[in-house]
Amino acid sequence: MFMLYPIFYNIFISFQDVTIMNLKGDKSFIGLENYRQIFQDERFLLSLKNTVIYTVSCIVFQLSIGFLLALFFNQKFPMRNFFRSILLLAWMTPLVITGTLFKWLYDVDYGVLNYLLIQIGLISEPINWLGQQSTALMAIIVTNIWIGIPFNMILLLSALQALPNDVYEAAKIDGASRIQSFFKITLPLMKPATLVVLVLGIIYTFKVFDIILIMTGGGPVNATQVLPFFGYELAFVNFKFSLSGAVATIILVILTVISLIYLYLIRKEESM
């Protein structure tokens, strides 16, 4: 009731003409008209482009850095659990707090980032990271990468610790080096876990909303406008609920396709 009904109701109103004026009255069925308007809207195309750039950039760095950290923390050294717990704080901190902290860090007047870059001589004057089109999306991407690295690390680390030691011992007896063991044993055995982390990361990142709302509100000049935030503005700023429903349905279709691809790859892996 709490999951399926909203989904099907959202799909249903995406084929109707629903605004604040007729929300409780009769709603006319207009077919694919909402989808036609959405695909012809330049803001939708820009939002889709920003969402893809944001998702791909975040996933690449989160997965690669998270995997490197997982390999590092898979080694035995003093206070390993302590440092691992410290890194998890970045993921456990509420997004509202994280977004506000990074907004202060990026501030053009009193932000720590500008101060440090000026002190080491990389820039000569403060940069308005969140206030100009050329850097706003990049700043949001860096923020989300910082948030998502611990999540990737802990899942991949769990998978690494579950790998059988006898396989590595047999490879060592056969004369395999550590690099050969990594590419011939670790990476192939980690493929299922990596696929899980990859799909979860794509779904989680693709539907970003909190960070955008807190840090930029989709600006400046739609530079950080993404699909979920675009749908939010259509519904709760412009009160065009049908158009917002169409955007939400498009997001649902995209993520469903990604999930189906994941299931296909998993079945293929299991059959092999």
Side-chain angles (χ1 to χ4, degrees), residues 143-159:
T143 303
N144 192 66
I145 289 172
W146 185 83
I147 295 171
I149 286 174
F151 176 76
N152 286 262
M153 179 203 71
I154 200 67
L155 291 181
L156 293 172
L157 178 60
S158 300

Side-chain angles (χ1 to χ4, degrees), residues 74-139:
N74 196 38
Q75 310 300 315
K76 294 182 180 180
F77 57 88
M79 300 183 70
R80 178 183 64 169
N81 292 332
F82 171 75
F83 289 114
R84 190 167 61 188
S85 302
I86 291 296
L87 281 177
L88 278 176
L89 289 176
W91 179 66
M92 295 168 60
T93 305
L95 288 177
V96 175
I97 297 175
T98 303
T100 304
L101 288 174
F102 269 87
K103 190 175 181 179
W104 290 345
L105 290 174
Y106 288 131
D107 191 87
V108 64
D109 295 320
Y110 50 83
V112 175
L113 180 60
N114 277 326
Y115 173 79
L116 292 176
L117 293 178
I118 290 174
Q119 291 300 311
I120 61 179
L122 290 180
I123 60 175
S124 58
E125 58 184 18
I127 298 175
N128 192 359
W129 298 99
L130 299 176
Q132 58 186 22
Q133 290 178 274
S134 58
T135 58
L137 184 60
M138 181 188 67

Side-chain angles (χ1 to χ4, degrees), residues 225-236 240 243-245 247-248:
Q225 183 76 273
V226 291
L227 284 180
F229 196 82
F230 178 54
Y232 160 80
E233 284 191 334
L234 286 173
F236 301 107
K240 297 178 179 179
L243 292 176
S244 176
V247 173

